């Protein structure tokens, strides 16, 4: 979990600017990515590209943590049922899909909050992810916190299956290369 926490800091430093532009395009605030970047810089400076950084981190850390913890628990159970044998590629894919869809679905309220944070008007007072979740629940109701959960779940099934089957294959390859058991 410490590795997940540490990895997300530089990851979001690199990804956040494009995520802000993407969120603003999806919200219909801007039509062109390059023009959006110019406008964002002119209105908010470099800081504008990091709007929602805390919300992105607050969303990504629990999602990644839940995915890996749940996957390892599922893997442990499957291996125990198989007498300690390694998971097949299909078993890794299914475990990854279940882990990813569970994590993404549980964290959807944080995803909604981070998107709202990135699409707030320039000069609007910042809100913490928790404040944003509370405001959405109070003003729009609990279902609003799960906006977009279905497409996220579909994407998570595919990405989780690919991520964890690749993770296991890569781990096996490196272990064989290094002659580690």
């Amino acid at each position: 979990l410490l590795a997940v926490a540490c990895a997300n800091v530089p990851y979001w430093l690199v990804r956040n600017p494009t995520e802000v532009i993407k969120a603003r395009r999806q919200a219909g605030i801007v039509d062109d990515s390059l023009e959006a970047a110019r406008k964002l810089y002119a209105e908010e400076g470099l800081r504008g590209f990091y709007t929602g950084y805390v919300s992105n981190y607050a969303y990504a850390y629990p999602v990644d943590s839940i995915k890996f913890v749940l996957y390892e628990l599922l893997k442990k159970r499957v291996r125990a049922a198989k007498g300690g044998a390694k998971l097949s590629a299909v078993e890794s894919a299914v475990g990854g899909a279940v882990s990813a869809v569970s994590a993404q679905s549980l964290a959807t309220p944080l995803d909604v909050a981070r998107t709202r944070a990135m699409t707030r008007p320039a000069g609007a007072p910042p809100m913490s992810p928790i404040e944003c979740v509370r405001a959405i629940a109070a003003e729009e109701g609990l279902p609003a916190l799960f906006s977009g959960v279905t497409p996220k779940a579909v994407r998570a099934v595919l990405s989780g299956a690919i991520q964890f089957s690749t993770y296991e294959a890569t781990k096996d390859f490196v272990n064989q290369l290094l002659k580690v058991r």
Side-chain angles (χ1 to χ4, degrees):
L1 296 180
L2 179 61
V4 170
C6 292
N8 270 304
V9 172
Y11 174 79
W12 282 106
L13 282 172
V14 172
R15 182 170 173 199
N16 208 89
T18 60
E19 195 69 15
V20 171
I21 300 298
K22 179 193 84 164
R24 291 179 182 204
R25 293 239 13 229
Q26 289 175 336
I29 296 169
V30 294
D31 294 325
D32 175 75
S33 297
L34 190 54
E35 185 56 35
R38 286 185 189 121
K39 181 178 178 186
L40 184 60
Y41 186 75
E43 292 177 0
E44 301 178 50
L46 193 56
R47 183 183 185 117
F49 290 97
Y50 290 92
T51 302
Y53 178 85
V54 171
S55 296
N56 280 327
Y57 188 88
Y59 159 74
Y61 178 72
V63 168
D64 291 342
S65 297
I66 291 167
K67 270 194 311 193
F68 277 95
V69 168
L70 185 54
Y71 176 77
E72 288 299 326
L73 289 171
L74 291 170
K75 181 171 122 177
K76 185 177 181 180
R77 286 196 167 195
V78 171
R79 287 191 71 181
K82 293 175 60 169
K86 289 183 177 186
L87 272 62
S88 70
V90 170
E91 291 165 332
S92 296
V94 169
V98 169
S99 300
V101 77
S102 299
Q104 290 288 344
S105 297
L106 286 170
T108 295
L110 293 172
D111 188 31
V112 171
R114 80 186 184 100
T115 301
R116 299 285 179 93
M118 290 183 292
T119 56
R120 291 176 65 79
M127 294 175 82
S128 74
I130 299 302
E131 290 171 329
C132 193
V133 166
R134 284 184 183 143
I136 293 166
E139 295 167 18
E140 302 171 45
L142 289 176
L145 292 171
F146 290 90
S147 296
V149 71
T150 302
K152 282 174 61 65
V154 170
R155 184 182 70 206
V157 167
L158 298 172
S159 68
I162 294 165
Q163 178 183 12
F164 285 96
S165 59
T166 303
Y167 167 72
E168 290 296 340
T170 302
K171 215 167 61 170
D172 289 346
F173 175 77
V174 170
N175 285 341
Q176 283 180 336
L177 200 63
L178 300 174
K179 309 259 189 258
V180 177
R181 286 191 162 229

